[in-house]
Amino acid sequence: MGQRSHDTGVVESQHGPVERHLTSTAHAGEGPRRRSPLRFGVATSAYQTEGGLSSNNWAAWERARPALGPGHKCGSASRSWEHFEDDLENLRWLGVDLYRFSIEWSRVEPAPGRFDDAALERYRSWCVKLDAAGITPMVTLHHFTEPLWVTRKGGFEGRAVIDDWLRFVAEVLDVLGDVVHTWITVNEPVGYVVQGWVRGEWPPGKRDPRTAVRVLDNLLTAHADAYRLIHADAQARGSGSACTVGLAHHIVMFRPRRPRHLLDRAIARSVDRAYNRATLEALHTGWLTLRLPGLHYQAERPGLVGTQDFMGLNHYYPLVVGMRWRGSGPLPWVDVLPAGPDQERDDLGLLLDAGSLVEAVGVVSRYGLPVFVTEHGVCDGEEPDRRRICHLEASLAGLLALPSHCDVIGYVHWSLVDNWEWTFGHAACFGLFAVDRCTGRRTPKPSADTYRRLIGTHRDGSS
Ligand code: BGC
């Protein structure tokens, strides 16, 4: 494995320019726009699919829990590190415009400042092949994982991690900057801190809302700094106008249990403000403000303003919430209610309501940026995957019926393949393709056919 040390601050590419077929999404000041055809894609993340990763925060978390059954350990995941050619063939067959995947930091920088050339080159070869197939690579830099050496230094709980993070981003840009023009800096910062530092269900397993807010603050700074670095790199290469950078926001539609009940409505509003809007506002106003019972946090962060070229939107479900009187846990006053037995639910018990995607678009679109649905999908392990098909068809119909001033520029389905799911392990099936975990063989599900047909129909209709 070719290793080398990082040359500080070098962001020039060693690779020649590659012809782009992407147009910029930076529209500010361009006057009225015609609605452009929706761009379709599918998404995965490195730890959930690649397999064989043992030196990040999640692998350590699994090791620390010997009681976890094999189905809960990531292990060889979907074997995507070796099966990229199969995935590429399937992407072609689907007819997608874009493939969203993430770079595994622990793989490319196994020790501080020591980079794995072969790993970076493999990611580069994926991007080159995607590009040659007319499929835009959309690359995520942080999708819930970090190298163990970062965790051991306190990870994103401290500010010091930002220097490590920027060194990693600079190295990725050095190798991929000429072939990748569409970036997601951080995936779902709020979801990550809520699971890891509020609910304690993900690493580092803490229930400490004060630290959670600090981690969120640091992740947003990491995002903004990466945004500037990516754009500076693109400018230096002369590809500034093609470069587009966003953050993937996890938006949950919180609905009051009793729509007319004042307290239930107040709870829904309060969790909506904390979970959805605080981050959106921080990136818009430069103030990160959180007001929850027992927790007031306000920090002025002017550097966050103007650091999104589009709004990345990850949306899956609405949640019904209400007032809880004698609860325990980190948010003791919030009751989250399961979907009713008479309602259409996914395998995780979450309500399938196609209208909520359009509602979530409404939440992020008020900031005047184009909206890119960067994740949306269904956990459905049944054969045939009828619920995935119905939900996909209905959700897309809603999206396509939006008036043209709602500037939705893309839809990315989660996920290309069945993969390892953070809380539920291998039991949760989100893929359009099933994976034989021994051989890595991919088999299309009926929903893959549906998605392929929908993409084709949309393309024919808008050409
Ligand atoms: C995450 C994915 C995850 C998906 C389904 C999203 O919030 O970004 O990593 O697999 O939800 O739970």
Side-chain angles (χ1 to χ4, degrees):
M1 144 171 127
Q3 308 265 11
R4 78 189 136 108
S5 284
H6 173 76
D7 352 276
T8 21
V10 179
V11 287
E12 275 161 33
S13 172
Q14 340 144 349
H15 306 282
V18 169
E19 267 268 292
R20 300 295 322 146
H21 46 119
L22 227 195
T23 49
S24 167
T25 54
H27 304 305
E30 285 176 13
R33 290 183 347 110
R34 254 186 335 116
R35 183 173 195 155
S36 35
L38 207 60
R39 306 179 66 222
F40 288 98
V42 284
T44 57
S45 88
Y47 191 63
Q48 292 178 271
T49 56
E50 286 180 3
L53 292 162
S54 58
S55 51
N56 68 16
N57 50 337
W58 277 91
W61 171 258
E62 290 169 36
R63 277 195 297 273
R65 276 163 190 70
L68 282 182
H72 265 83
K73 302 212 170 163
C74 184
S76 52
S78 320
R79 299 186 178 272
S80 301
W81 192 242
E82 294 91 36
H83 284 267
F84 177 76
E85 296 298 335
D86 298 330
D87 287 339
L88 179 60
E89 201 179 309
N90 292 334
L91 292 164
R92 276 207 191 95
W93 177 82
L94 285 169
V96 291
D97 305 294
L98 176 149
Y99 179 43
R100 178 180 169 214
F101 63 95
S102 72
I103 305 282
E104 175 59 31
W105 186 358
S106 69
R107 194 190 275 289
V108 305
E109 193 181 0
R114 192 160 55 84
F115 286 90
D116 182 334
D117 281 347
L120 279 162
E121 282 301 326
R122 181 163 326 189
Y123 283 124
R124 179 180 166 77
S125 78
W126 291 3
C127 298
V128 170
K129 287 175 184 171
L130 286 164
D131 193 78
I135 300 169
T136 300
M138 176 186 251
V139 171
T140 308
L141 292 164
H142 187 281
H143 197 123
F144 300 160
T145 64
E146 65 198 24
L148 208 42
W149 59 264
V150 169
T151 311
R152 290 196 179 116
K153 287 164 77 174
F156 281 88
E157 290 184 12
R159 255 354 216 193
V161 69
I162 307 281
D163 288 343
D164 293 319
W165 158 255
L166 289 176
R167 183 182 56 212
F168 157 67
V169 176
E171 190 71 18
V172 171
L173 287 170
D174 188 28
V175 180
L176 302 187
D178 62 329
V179 275
V180 178
H181 304 269
T182 307
W183 299 89
I184 299 286
T185 53
V186 180
N187 183 66
E188 301 183 0
V190 180
Y192 182 57
V193 302
V194 167
Q195 295 290 352
W197 283 267
V198 179
R199 304 187 66 197
E201 292 190 355
W202 291 5
K206 296 189 180 172
R207 288 179 146 214
D208 174 2
R210 279 172 204 289
T211 307
V213 184
R214 220 176 50 233
V215 176
L216 177 63
D217 196 351
N218 292 336
L219 281 169
L220 293 179
T221 299
H223 151 77
D225 288 354
Y227 176 93
R228 282 184 280 272
L229 193 56
I230 296 169
H231 272 290
D233 178 65
Q235 287 296 337
R237 291 172 191 278
S239 58
S241 65
C243 177
T244 176
V245 186
L247 177 151
H249 299 272
H250 186 232
I251 300 293
V252 175
M253 298 315 301
F254 293 101
R255 299 188 176 152
R257 168 178 37 192
R258 291 159 295 183
R260 288 173 188 283
H261 196 280
L262 283 181
L263 282 175
D264 285 351
R265 286 168 58 166
I267 294 292
R269 260 201 315 276
S270 154
V271 286
D272 171 56
R273 263 203 303 270
Y275 196 90
N276 295 327
R277 300 191 199 253
T279 304
L280 299 172
E281 286 295 316
L283 291 160
H284 187 62
T285 63
W287 284 92
L288 176 60
T289 307
L290 273 138
R291 282 203 189 89
L292 291 165
L295 176 69
H296 280 204
Y297 186 90
Q298 185 157 56
E300 188 177 12
R301 300 283 179 246
L304 300 183
V305 177
T307 59
Q308 296 176 103
D309 300 324
F310 59 87
M311 279 282 180
L313 165 64
N314 291 4
H315 178 69
Y316 287 85
Y317 45 80
L319 278 183
V320 176
V321 293
M323 179 73 195
R324 184 158 61 166
W325 292 106
R326 271 187 295 277
S328 57
L331 295 177
W333 37 275
V334 185
D335 217 2
V336 180
L337 286 98
D342 51 332
Q343 292 176 303
E344 183 81 305
R345 291 175 292 174
D346 72 358
D347 290 347
L348 308 177
L350 294 161
L351 182 65
L352 292 174
D353 172 347
S356 75
L357 178 59
V358 164
E359 287 175 45
V361 167
V363 172
V364 295
S365 63
R366 46 177 81 110
Y367 295 91
L369 291 168
V371 176
F372 214 120
V373 178
T374 37
E375 277 184 41
H376 176 256
V378 180
C379 185
D380 179 2
E382 280 174 10
E383 287 177 36
D385 51 349
R386 176 194 61 80
R387 287 169 296 165
R388 181 173 295 107
I389 292 174
C390 296
H391 194 61
L392 176 58
E393 284 180 332
S395 303
L396 273 181
L399 212 57
L400 291 167
L402 280 169
S404 59
H405 65 263
C406 298
D407 196 7
V408 181
I409 55 174
Y411 172 89
V412 172
H413 192 78
W414 183 274
S415 175
L416 173 63
V417 286
D418 279 342
N419 55 52
W420 179 85
E421 181 63 30
W422 309 102
T423 308
F424 304 97
H426 290 286
C429 300
F430 278 90
L432 296 167
F433 288 79
V435 175
D436 178 324
R437 288 184 43 227
C438 294
T439 63
R441 185 158 177 266
R442 276 83 167 123
T443 311
K445 300 181 187 177
S447 57
D449 265 320
T450 303
Y451 194 36
R452 178 176 192 252
R453 177 179 50 75
L454 289 169
I455 295 172
T457 309
H458 178 70
R459 196 163 287 144
D460 292 346
S462 48
S463 58

